[in-house]
Amino acid sequence: LYSCAVAFFGYLAYCVWDATEDKQLAEVVKGIEKRQISLAVALDFVLNTKGSDKEQSLTHSKQKQRLRIICKPFFRKYDANKDKTLTEDEVQMLMVDLGFSSSKRRVRAAFEKSDTNRDGVVSFDEFVEYIYGVMSDPDSMKLAMAHSSVNLTPPPEEGDAEEEEMPEDIAQLAASQQLK
């Protein structure tokens, strides 16, 4: 009886912990869809969420599921022609968002690395694997985070003076570049 009670309370604790993670993930996805959270910040969330580490992300089904959920809105964003695949031109948008060089040579190399089945397009599964590779590389993540243009300032409260909007071309620059 005692072991059943301990197991039950352990299960309840796990359910509460799991529900909290699901709520966090839902908030991140909502922020992504509202274009408030960049790809780099979303990947950082996957890396730094409790219980997450780079090796577990692919082997542990819950972590891989989290990465797939986070990648869906970004894949839809880059899939400009809505054919559920990415072309080389669409991969170029990804490279720009990550702060990587968008030269034809670099985009071609990224596209070829992503298109693992060599069918001439990048599927969602191939996209997730490529993003996992970016997420697993500390130098790539550092570059992506430096390039990330996330506004972490809370919105003004009612009655506060409204701030002037930043022009879109400046808002997409890294913070250090905005200050120049």
Side-chain angles (χ1 to χ4, degrees), residues 39-85:
L39 178 56
V41 171
L43 295 180
D44 190 58
F45 168 78
V46 172
L47 282 172
N48 294 310
T49 299
K50 183 179 175 184
S52 173
D53 71 38
K54 294 173 198 161
E55 287 72 35
Q56 277 187 328
S57 292
L58 274 183
T59 57
H60 188 266
S61 63
K62 187 86 170 159
Q63 295 300 324
K64 187 158 186 177
Q65 181 184 14
R66 178 180 294 136
L67 180 61
R68 290 179 66 80
I69 289 168
I70 283 177
C71 283
K72 279 183 186 178
F74 288 109
F75 187 83
R76 284 192 302 263
K77 172 185 171 185
Y78 301 127
D79 183 16
N81 63 4
K82 306 298 181 216
D83 66 352
K84 297 184 181 6
T85 62

Side-chain angles (χ1 to χ4, degrees), residues 10-62:
Y11 175 74
L12 286 178
Y14 172 78
C15 287
V16 168
W17 173 76
D18 194 40
T20 301
E21 276 192 4
D22 290 345
K23 287 178 187 175
Q24 288 174 337
L25 183 58
E27 287 301 313
V28 169
V29 170
K30 193 182 303 181
I32 293 166
E33 289 170 347
K34 290 182 178 181
R35 298 182 188 263
Q36 296 171 330
I37 295 179
S38 70
L39 178 56
V41 171
L43 295 180
D44 190 58
F45 168 78
V46 172
L47 282 172
N48 294 310
T49 299
K50 183 179 175 184
S52 173
D53 71 38
K54 294 173 198 161
E55 287 72 35
Q56 277 187 328
S57 292
L58 274 183
T59 57
H60 188 266
S61 63
K62 187 86 170 159

